[in-house]
Short mmCIF file of all heavy atoms in Angstrom, two decimals:
data_model
loop_
_atom_site.label_atom_id
_atom_site.label_comp_id
_atom_site.label_asym_id
_atom_site.label_seq_id
_atom_site.Cartn_x
_atom_site.Cartn_y
_atom_site.Cartn_z
N ARG A 147 52.53 -44.71 -120.48
CA ARG A 147 52.94 -46.05 -120.90
C ARG A 147 52.41 -46.37 -122.30
O ARG A 147 53.11 -46.90 -123.14
CB ARG A 147 52.47 -47.09 -119.88
CG ARG A 147 53.04 -48.48 -120.09
CD ARG A 147 52.72 -49.48 -118.97
NE ARG A 147 51.56 -49.19 -118.16
CZ ARG A 147 51.58 -48.58 -116.95
NH1 ARG A 147 52.70 -48.22 -116.42
NH2 ARG A 147 50.47 -48.36 -116.29
N LEU A 148 51.16 -46.00 -122.56
CA LEU A 148 50.58 -46.22 -123.89
C LEU A 148 51.42 -45.50 -124.96
O LEU A 148 51.77 -46.09 -125.99
CB LEU A 148 49.13 -45.71 -123.95
CG LEU A 148 48.41 -45.89 -125.27
CD1 LEU A 148 46.93 -46.10 -125.05
CD2 LEU A 148 48.60 -44.72 -126.22
N VAL A 149 51.78 -44.25 -124.69
CA VAL A 149 52.54 -43.46 -125.66
C VAL A 149 53.94 -44.05 -125.87
O VAL A 149 54.39 -44.22 -127.01
CB VAL A 149 52.62 -41.98 -125.22
CG1 VAL A 149 53.56 -41.18 -126.11
CG2 VAL A 149 51.22 -41.36 -125.22
N SER A 150 54.62 -44.39 -124.79
CA SER A 150 55.98 -44.93 -124.94
C SER A 150 55.97 -46.32 -125.56
O SER A 150 56.81 -46.62 -126.43
CB SER A 150 56.70 -44.95 -123.59
OG SER A 150 56.04 -45.79 -122.67
N ASP A 151 55.01 -47.15 -125.21
CA ASP A 151 54.92 -48.49 -125.82
C ASP A 151 54.56 -48.39 -127.31
O ASP A 151 55.14 -49.09 -128.14
CB ASP A 151 53.86 -49.35 -125.10
CG ASP A 151 54.31 -49.82 -123.73
OD1 ASP A 151 55.50 -49.65 -123.38
OD2 ASP A 151 53.45 -50.33 -122.99
N ARG A 152 53.62 -47.51 -127.64
CA ARG A 152 53.22 -47.34 -129.04
C ARG A 152 54.41 -46.89 -129.88
O ARG A 152 54.56 -47.31 -131.03
CB ARG A 152 52.09 -46.30 -129.11
CG ARG A 152 51.60 -45.99 -130.51
CD ARG A 152 50.47 -44.99 -130.51
NE ARG A 152 50.89 -43.71 -129.95
CZ ARG A 152 50.05 -42.78 -129.52
NH1 ARG A 152 48.75 -42.95 -129.58
NH2 ARG A 152 50.52 -41.65 -129.02
N ALA A 153 55.30 -46.09 -129.30
CA ALA A 153 56.48 -45.60 -130.02
C ALA A 153 57.64 -46.58 -129.98
O ALA A 153 58.71 -46.29 -130.54
CB ALA A 153 56.92 -44.27 -129.41
N ASP A 154 57.46 -47.72 -129.35
CA ASP A 154 58.55 -48.68 -129.17
C ASP A 154 59.75 -48.05 -128.47
O ASP A 154 60.90 -48.36 -128.76
CB ASP A 154 59.00 -49.28 -130.51
CG ASP A 154 58.22 -50.51 -130.88
OD1 ASP A 154 57.55 -51.08 -130.00
OD2 ASP A 154 58.28 -50.90 -132.06
N HIS A 155 59.45 -47.06 -127.64
CA HIS A 155 60.47 -46.42 -126.80
C HIS A 155 61.55 -45.70 -127.61
O HIS A 155 62.71 -45.67 -127.19
CB HIS A 155 61.07 -47.42 -125.80
CG HIS A 155 60.01 -48.07 -124.96
ND1 HIS A 155 59.53 -47.52 -123.80
CD2 HIS A 155 59.28 -49.20 -125.17
CE1 HIS A 155 58.58 -48.30 -123.30
NE2 HIS A 155 58.40 -49.32 -124.12
N GLU A 158 59.83 -40.29 -131.70
CA GLU A 158 59.08 -40.41 -132.95
C GLU A 158 59.49 -39.37 -133.98
O GLU A 158 59.03 -39.43 -135.11
CB GLU A 158 57.58 -40.36 -132.67
CG GLU A 158 57.13 -41.56 -131.84
CD GLU A 158 55.65 -41.60 -131.61
OE1 GLU A 158 54.92 -42.11 -132.49
OE2 GLU A 158 55.21 -41.10 -130.55
N ALA A 186 45.42 -36.23 -124.91
CA ALA A 186 44.77 -37.47 -125.33
C ALA A 186 45.74 -38.24 -126.21
O ALA A 186 46.63 -37.65 -126.85
CB ALA A 186 43.50 -37.15 -126.12
N ALA A 187 45.55 -39.55 -126.25
CA ALA A 187 46.50 -40.41 -126.96
C ALA A 187 46.75 -39.97 -128.41
O ALA A 187 47.89 -40.04 -128.89
CB ALA A 187 45.99 -41.85 -126.94
N ASP A 188 45.72 -39.50 -129.09
CA ASP A 188 45.92 -39.13 -130.50
C ASP A 188 46.62 -37.79 -130.68
O ASP A 188 46.89 -37.39 -131.82
CB ASP A 188 44.59 -39.16 -131.26
CG ASP A 188 43.59 -38.14 -130.75
OD1 ASP A 188 43.82 -37.52 -129.69
OD2 ASP A 188 42.57 -37.95 -131.43
N ASN A 189 46.92 -37.09 -129.59
CA ASN A 189 47.67 -35.85 -129.68
C ASN A 189 48.99 -35.92 -128.93
O ASN A 189 49.64 -34.92 -128.70
CB ASN A 189 46.84 -34.67 -129.14
CG ASN A 189 47.54 -33.34 -129.38
OD1 ASN A 189 48.07 -33.08 -130.46
ND2 ASN A 189 47.57 -32.50 -128.34
N LEU A 190 49.40 -37.11 -128.57
CA LEU A 190 50.65 -37.27 -127.83
C LEU A 190 51.61 -38.14 -128.61
O LEU A 190 51.20 -39.05 -129.33
CB LEU A 190 50.38 -37.92 -126.46
CG LEU A 190 49.47 -37.12 -125.51
CD1 LEU A 190 49.15 -37.94 -124.27
CD2 LEU A 190 50.11 -35.80 -125.13
N CYS A 191 52.89 -37.82 -128.46
CA CYS A 191 53.92 -38.67 -129.07
C CYS A 191 55.08 -38.75 -128.09
O CYS A 191 55.12 -38.06 -127.08
CB CYS A 191 54.34 -38.13 -130.42
SG CYS A 191 55.34 -36.65 -130.37
N TYR A 192 56.04 -39.59 -128.43
CA TYR A 192 57.22 -39.79 -127.61
C TYR A 192 58.36 -39.06 -128.27
O TYR A 192 58.61 -39.24 -129.48
CB TYR A 192 57.50 -41.29 -127.51
CG TYR A 192 58.11 -41.75 -126.22
CD1 TYR A 192 57.62 -41.33 -125.00
CD2 TYR A 192 59.17 -42.64 -126.21
CE1 TYR A 192 58.16 -41.76 -123.81
CE2 TYR A 192 59.72 -43.10 -125.04
CZ TYR A 192 59.22 -42.65 -123.83
OH TYR A 192 59.76 -43.10 -122.65
N ARG A 222 51.27 -39.04 -135.45
CA ARG A 222 49.99 -39.75 -135.41
C ARG A 222 49.36 -39.87 -136.81
O ARG A 222 48.56 -40.75 -137.04
CB ARG A 222 48.98 -39.06 -134.48
CG ARG A 222 49.37 -39.04 -133.02
CD ARG A 222 49.30 -40.39 -132.31
NE ARG A 222 50.22 -41.40 -132.78
CZ ARG A 222 51.52 -41.45 -132.47
NH1 ARG A 222 52.06 -40.55 -131.69
NH2 ARG A 222 52.29 -42.40 -132.94
N GLN A 279 59.90 -47.63 -138.51
CA GLN A 279 59.38 -46.31 -138.86
C GLN A 279 59.91 -45.83 -140.22
O GLN A 279 59.22 -45.14 -140.95
CB GLN A 279 59.76 -45.27 -137.79
CG GLN A 279 59.14 -45.55 -136.44
CD GLN A 279 57.62 -45.59 -136.50
OE1 GLN A 279 56.99 -44.71 -137.09
NE2 GLN A 279 57.02 -46.61 -135.93
#
Side-chain angles (χ1 to χ4, degrees):
R147 190 173 22 263
L148 181 149
V149 172
S150 62
D151 287 351
R152 178 179 62 198
D154 271 344
H155 305 274
E158 295 184 84
D188 64 350
N189 186 45
L190 298 173
C191 73
Y192 212 46
R222 296 288 65 78
Q279 295 302 313

